[in-house]
Amino acid sequence: MGSEPIASTTANYYLQSFRLYETFSKYYIIGRDKKRAFWKVLKIDRLECSELDIDEDSATYSENECSDLLKRLDEGNKITGGLKLVTTCYGIIGFVKFLEPYYMLLITKRKKIGEISGHKIYAITKREMIPIPNPTVRTLMAHSKNENRYKKLLCTMDLTKDFFFSYSYHVMRSLQKNLYDYKTGQHLYKKMCVWNEFLTSEIRNRLGNTLWTVALVHGFFKQVKLSVPGRDFKLTLIARRSRCFAGTRYLKRGVNDKGRVANDVETEQIVSEDPAEGCPTQMSSVVQYRGSVPLFWSQNALGFRKFRPVFSLRAEQHNYEAMGLHFRNLVKRYGKPIVILSLLKTRGKKRAEKTLGATYAKAIASIIDNLPEMNHLRFCRWDLHTHMYYRRPIYELQQLGDLAADTLDSTGIFYCQVPPKLWQDGFLNLSYFDKYNGHNSLEDLFNKNGDAGNLEANFTDGGGGCDANENYGVKCMSQKGVLRSNCMDCLDRTNVVQYAYGLAALGRQLHALGFIESPYIDLEDPLAENLMTVYEAMGDTLALQYGGSPAHNKIFADIRGQWRPAIDYQDLITTVKRYCSNAFLDFVRQDAMNLFLGYFRPQQGKQVLWELDSDQRYNVGRSSFKRSLSDSDIRSMSNSPMVSTDVTLNPPFSGKVRGSSMNLLGFLADIQNQPLHDQAQGGSTSILAFMPEISTGTRLSPGCMQEDQSLKSDNIYDEETRDASAHSSLFDMDWHSSAGNSFYEANERCFSCETIIHRMKGVLRGGYSESFVKWVFHGEALFLRS
């Protein structure tokens, strides 16, 4: 029988297959590695009705030794029924207790969904929840109505959808972090993207290791094989959802006191190639981020009016301390600069969204002025909805591509070339990087040599195993900083921006790998269509998780040239699904999430979850801001006054619904009073050039920030907010254009003949006759003016 400690023999091995056996008094879990080289035994006491008693055998076994052990256990327990196989499993999700007994959550079926550097990534296809105490020691509490209801509630967390894990690769971290700052063990479970941190806490703390558990990441994982002429590569898109302020659309909004925001998702795009025999391997990744506006605000899901919840924004934001904590956390995670792209509406009927956007800009300006360490923030405002409505989506994607290119110039991308020596047994040995060349990590070495974002470095093995002169050294460039994008929900519009950024990044990644000559990919390129399909799938998945329905993909469908009535119909169906989910299903989903994440812990003699008032039930102490009550309740229970806005304003144009003759006539009546301008012809200008460094102390030209008199009755920005918009680190794309031909030149609504013709085509697609359209447009005079 083996007796060697596991630390000395299995440092580079992982338990991947398990068998659960039971006797009258104990559960035995037998775990082994992929190659069946070593076996471990875990014992769980079944005679404790409300305590978890776990013990790990310190010895390691061979396969034969493990078989002998099982035979002896069977013989020793013949009197009480012997040793029985319960199930085969592939990892422990965790342990949970409601009112009395503990339950063990196991992965009983899995499927491979991809590989990163040879490390396999899996999804759960089946899981089981097994009670630990023997039935003879359970009390009536274990069969109570509340106990059963808690069990059913936890089971509504469908772990077979959008949860993934890996035994050997730390999928909760980006590729750059895994190579630069290699970590193992307990540290990984503290990461904000590990959703079963609470469920695994007891077994990890008692055993002091993570051999038996798997770290579950929630979000999106998709890997596809693509090609450019003469070269094949893998594209991997990963979205990691944070557990720190997790919830559903109207029950989790804004920021909490700890600086954590709702719908916090990190997106990583990895490009890699399968290495040829004896050749170095190239990899590249780019990370971007989405998250709710980091202010204290809410939308009351219990008070729907006209299919829209009541919006509330706390008047007192405590000097934006929570927002400051949020951006400090982003800097710690990604470095500097932080480029903030706000897609909130600045025009139109939704006063709540405009109020939030104006307050957001004011807050960023205040933080930059009052906190010198925040001078790396770059804020850009772009009313994507308005621009997409009146312009062709392909044109707006080009504008967003320019912004993405300028952002990538500031942050860089991660690129790494590794020698064959680091590939062992078909996968990249991540632990080698932690002690590479005598340094604690590659990141330490970069910090000593300068800016990693602009550095291409060669490193050789201290033992002489790799020769940099023969291109067997490690070459790296790093990403420092991140693009943070958001809209109201951080779903539909945000996904379009993330696609535009991903496309710009893909060109640079393929260029760094030597696959293409130019770092730019045209929107008409087949690669752009393939990438759009992947981002569209990610958008649907993230929208289902947070909003309860697939994403609104009108922009993607419009780019593909799909039939407009079909697009509008699908958009209507999505809206109805999202409304029904938000109004009727999100409360149960939030309860299940709070239970799974440990934010609510049931106790005997205490109030059960479903009997709590709305604030206690859906916030469980995560923030002092009252989010789920009515406006009157919030005002009476909070020391800070609330600003509630549910006012509907007149839109810039009276025509909103496409396909209505009266609205179309109203639209024309409005635009006839607006001057028509030629589109200015000019070269492309860097968008980030409009966002100079803080030290310059310059402001935007006053002429670019004049108030639009035609919108004065619809303008929610006061003088103080407009001053914030003129801050040297704040850039409003509604007032500027990266190509010199903004749809709103300066602050005036302008329509080119191309725009009018595009609107005409939209009406024709809506089913109107050509004669009717010509009558509506008063012949050709209106849109042929030059």
Side-chain angles (χ1 to χ4, degrees):
M1 182 180 297
S3 60
E4 194 171 356
I6 190 169
S8 62
T9 60
T10 64
N12 295 323
Y13 293 87
Y14 309 90
L15 298 179
Q16 296 192 19
S17 184
F18 306 84
R19 285 191 173 188
L20 175 65
Y21 295 89
E22 69 172 356
T23 64
F24 178 83
S25 61
K26 292 186 184 299
Y27 276 124
Y28 293 91
I29 301 180
I30 311 298
R32 65 169 176 83
D33 69 320
K34 181 180 179 180
K35 294 185 175 182
R36 311 173 78 96
F38 74 95
W39 303 67
K40 294 289 294 180
V41 178
L42 185 70
K43 296 177 285 186
I44 305 174
D45 191 357
R46 299 188 65 201
L47 299 181
E48 288 284 349
C49 66
S50 60
E51 299 294 331
L52 185 61
D53 187 359
I54 304 177
D55 183 35
E56 181 186 38
D57 192 335
S58 61
T60 58
Y61 299 87
S62 66
E63 185 171 3
N64 292 332
E65 291 172 339
C66 193
S67 298
D68 292 339
L69 175 63
L70 293 176
K71 290 179 182 178
R72 290 197 300 272
L73 288 174
D74 183 44
E75 294 172 358
N77 291 273
K78 283 293 186 183
I79 300 176
T80 56
L83 184 72
K84 300 177 182 178
L85 175 65
V86 179
T87 184
T88 299
C89 56
Y90 299 96
I92 298 176
I93 298 173
F95 296 85
V96 64
K97 174 184 176 181
F98 304 122
L99 298 178
E100 185 185 84
Y102 270 89
Y103 300 87
M104 178 167 47
L105 279 72
L106 301 175
I107 300 171
T108 53
K109 288 186 180 180
R110 67 184 182 185
K111 66 176 180 180
K112 177 185 170 184
I113 56 176
E115 286 188 8
I116 299 178
S117 302
H119 300 263
K120 294 180 180 179
I121 312 298
Y122 296 94
I124 302 173
T125 56
K126 187 178 180 181
R127 63 104 178 95
E128 290 188 18
M129 185 166 66
I130 300 175
I132 292 177
N134 190 290
T136 60
V137 301
R138 299 178 202 169
T139 68
L140 293 177
M141 182 62 70
H143 306 283
S144 65
K145 180 180 178 181
N146 288 339
E147 181 78 12
N148 290 330
R149 186 165 178 177
Y150 277 124
K151 288 165 58 178
K152 291 179 180 179
L153 184 61
L154 187 69
C155 289
T156 61
M157 281 289 295
D158 192 352
L159 302 183
T160 64
K161 290 183 179 179
D162 311 324
F163 283 88
F164 49 94
F165 66 94
S166 176
Y167 300 106
S168 56
Y169 182 80
H170 308 322
V171 71
M172 75 290 296
R173 310 176 81 214
S174 67
L175 179 64
Q176 176 172 318
K177 285 186 177 293
N178 279 328
L179 296 184
Y180 275 14
D181 188 21
Y182 182 72
K183 301 287 185 182
T184 58
Q186 302 273 14
H187 172 80
L188 298 175
Y189 283 79
K190 299 299 180 182
K191 293 298 179 183
M192 58 196 305
C193 296
V194 178
W195 274 58
N196 60 335
E197 186 272 339
F198 166 71
L199 296 178
T200 60
S201 58
E202 288 203 54
I203 182 174
R204 289 185 291 107
N205 293 335
R206 296 195 183 201
L207 302 183
N209 64 59
T210 58
L211 274 176
W212 301 92
T213 58
V214 295
L216 294 183
V217 179
H218 186 37
F220 175 83
F221 186 97
K222 181 75 172 180
Q223 188 170 81
V224 295
K225 290 186 177 181
L226 301 176
S227 63
V228 294
R231 304 293 290 270
D232 296 329
F233 64 92
K234 287 182 181 178
L235 174 77
T236 306
L237 190 62
I238 307 173
R240 306 176 181 95
R241 183 177 293 281
S242 170
R243 61 176 165 81
C244 292
F245 196 45
T248 55
R249 185 185 181 198
Y250 288 134
L251 298 176
K252 294 292 180 181
R253 290 292 218 191
V255 68
N256 67 7
D257 294 331
K258 297 181 180 179
R260 306 297 189 182
V261 296
N263 202 14
D264 182 320
V265 181
E266 173 186 278
T267 302
E268 181 180 20
Q269 179 176 293
I270 302 175
V271 175
S272 59
E273 63 172 348
D274 293 326
E277 184 70 26
C279 295
T281 300
Q282 300 182 92
M283 299 172 291
S284 175
S285 79
V286 171
V287 173
Q288 53 180 317
Y289 173 86
R290 72 171 76 185
S292 187
V293 175
L295 293 166
F296 291 111
W297 62 283
S298 71
Q299 285 182 290
N300 185 3
L302 299 178
F304 275 91
R305 283 197 314 215
K306 297 180 180 179
F307 298 96
R308 188 174 301 162
V310 178
F311 173 82
S312 294
L313 175 65
R314 184 193 287 184
E316 177 54 57
Q317 297 285 337
H318 300 293
N319 296 321
Y320 310 111
E321 293 177 2
M323 181 181 287
L325 288 174
H326 172 69
F327 286 117
R328 288 190 187 95
N329 178 264
L330 289 185
V331 172
K332 184 178 180 181
R333 289 162 64 182
Y334 305 114
K336 304 175 183 179
I338 305 296
V339 180
I340 307 161
L341 178 57
S342 174
L343 306 173
L344 296 171
K345 294 180 181 178
T346 59
R347 301 166 187 266
K349 295 173 61 176
K350 295 187 178 180
R351 184 179 179 88
E353 189 166 337
K354 295 188 293 181
T355 301
L356 185 63
T359 307
Y360 192 18
K362 174 184 173 182
I364 295 293
S366 176
I367 284 180
I368 295 173
D369 288 337
N370 297 322
L371 299 175
E373 68 272 20
M374 291 293 179
N375 62 3
H376 59 274
L377 297 180
R378 298 291 180 267
F379 183 88
C380 180
R381 186 165 55 195
W382 175 247
D383 187 349
L384 182 65
H385 184 275
T386 300
H387 285 263
M388 287 288 188
Y389 191 86
Y390 295 112
R391 296 288 295 192
R392 291 181 300 174
I394 196 75
Y395 174 81
E396 301 306 328
L397 282 179
Q398 291 171 351
Q399 297 263 6
L400 291 171
D402 293 338
L403 172 65
D406 293 327
T407 303
L408 288 166
D409 286 340
S410 300
T411 63
I413 66 171
F414 173 71
Y415 167 81
C416 188
Q417 182 186 96
V418 297
K421 180 177 180 178
L422 301 189
W423 288 80
Q424 298 177 0
D425 303 321
F427 63 87
L428 180 62
N429 182 10
L430 300 176
S431 62
Y432 187 84
F433 287 88
D434 195 33
K435 50 192 176 184
Y436 201 88
N437 212 19
H439 295 271
N440 293 330
S441 66
L442 281 179
E443 187 171 24
D444 293 338
L445 189 57
F446 276 131
N447 291 335
K448 293 179 181 179
N449 284 275
D451 183 7
N454 300 313
L455 178 66
E456 180 173 316
N458 286 275
F459 308 102
T460 57
D461 185 12
C466 296
D467 185 0
N469 295 326
E470 296 179 3
N471 289 327
Y472 289 115
V474 175
K475 296 181 179 180
C476 287
M477 296 185 299
S478 73
Q479 175 182 344
K480 283 196 172 182
V482 75
L483 172 68
R484 184 200 194 280
S485 51
N486 69 268
C487 53
M488 195 72 168
D489 299 322
C490 302
L491 296 177
D492 313 314
R493 286 168 283 174
T494 299
N495 204 58
V496 174
V497 169
Q498 291 210 331
Y499 160 69
Y501 188 80
L503 182 62
L506 180 61
R508 297 183 181 230
Q509 290 176 289
L510 294 177
H511 181 68
L513 269 63
F515 285 14
I516 57 177
E517 295 182 359
S518 172
Y520 301 101
I521 298 177
D522 190 83
L523 287 169
E524 304 295 332
D525 193 293
L527 278 179
E529 171 65 25
N530 293 330
L531 188 69
M532 183 190 300
T533 302
V534 179
Y535 271 87
E536 190 173 9
M538 181 185 74
D540 287 339
T541 299
L542 296 181
L544 281 166
Q545 294 166 8
Y546 184 64
S549 76
H552 290 280
N553 291 316
K554 291 182 67 174
I555 295 174
F556 291 145
D558 204 14
I559 292 173
R560 294 191 179 100
Q562 296 180 9
W563 190 39
R564 181 57 58 83
I567 298 174
D568 292 339
Y569 172 76
Q570 185 60 47
D571 194 56
L572 175 62
I573 296 299
T574 300
T575 300
V576 173
K577 286 182 179 179
R578 188 170 294 183
Y579 170 78
C580 293
S581 177
N582 299 157
F584 307 110
L585 304 178
D586 281 3
F587 306 101
V588 176
R589 293 174 58 213
Q590 187 69 59
D591 285 343
M593 237 176 277
N594 289 340
L595 200 61
F596 185 86
L597 296 172
Y599 295 154
F600 178 85
R601 305 181 187 184
Q603 295 180 353
Q604 291 189 37
K606 301 289 186 179
Q607 200 171 13
V608 293
L609 177 59
W610 43 89
E611 292 180 358
L612 296 175
D613 63 60
S614 58
D615 177 57
Q616 292 174 304
R617 185 173 180 180
Y618 302 120
N619 295 285
V620 289
R622 303 303 295 169
S623 172
S624 62
F625 186 36
K626 316 302 182 184
R627 298 177 185 275
S628 301
L629 306 178
S630 66
D631 285 352
S632 59
D633 290 336
I634 295 174
R635 292 191 185 97
S636 63
M637 296 179 65
S638 174
N639 293 328
S640 300
M642 300 292 296
V643 177
S644 177
T645 57
D646 189 40
V647 181
T648 302
L649 299 180
N650 293 325
F653 307 105
S654 57
K656 179 181 179 182
V657 181
R658 298 180 183 182
S660 168
S661 59
M662 294 304 296
N663 283 329
L664 185 58
L665 287 170
F667 165 79
L668 290 172
D670 280 329
I671 66 170
Q672 277 183 311
N673 297 324
Q674 304 299 327
L676 296 172
H677 296 267
D678 283 333
Q679 291 185 346
Q681 303 296 324
S684 177
T685 305
S686 170
I687 292 179
L688 292 187
F690 289 103
M691 298 187 289
E693 296 291 337
I694 295 295
S695 58
T696 63
T698 59
R699 291 181 176 270
L700 298 177
S701 171
C704 296
M705 299 301 296
Q706 294 175 358
E707 184 179 2
D708 186 352
Q709 298 298 323
S710 65
L711 289 179
K712 192 167 185 179
S713 61
D714 192 35
N715 192 359
I716 64 167
Y717 305 111
D718 55 18
E719 294 297 332
E720 187 176 7
T721 304
R722 285 197 297 273
D723 288 342
S725 299
H727 196 284
S728 60
S729 284
L730 274 63
F731 169 57
D732 194 337
M733 290 179 68
D734 290 338
W735 305 103
H736 298 275
S737 169
S738 63
N741 55 357
S742 172
F743 181 70
Y744 295 104
E745 293 193 15
N747 62 341
E748 197 171 43
R749 290 191 298 267
C750 310
F751 292 86
S752 65
C753 62
E754 181 184 11
T755 304
I756 305 301
I757 293 172
H758 179 62
R759 291 284 296 169
M760 275 191 65
K761 291 179 180 178
V763 174
L764 286 170
R765 286 196 296 268
Y768 291 97
S769 66
E770 184 176 355
S771 59
F772 171 76
V773 173
K774 287 184 177 180
W775 173 75
V776 169
F777 279 84
H778 306 289
E780 300 179 350
L782 179 63
F783 59 89
L784 290 181
R785 289 175 55 189
S786 59

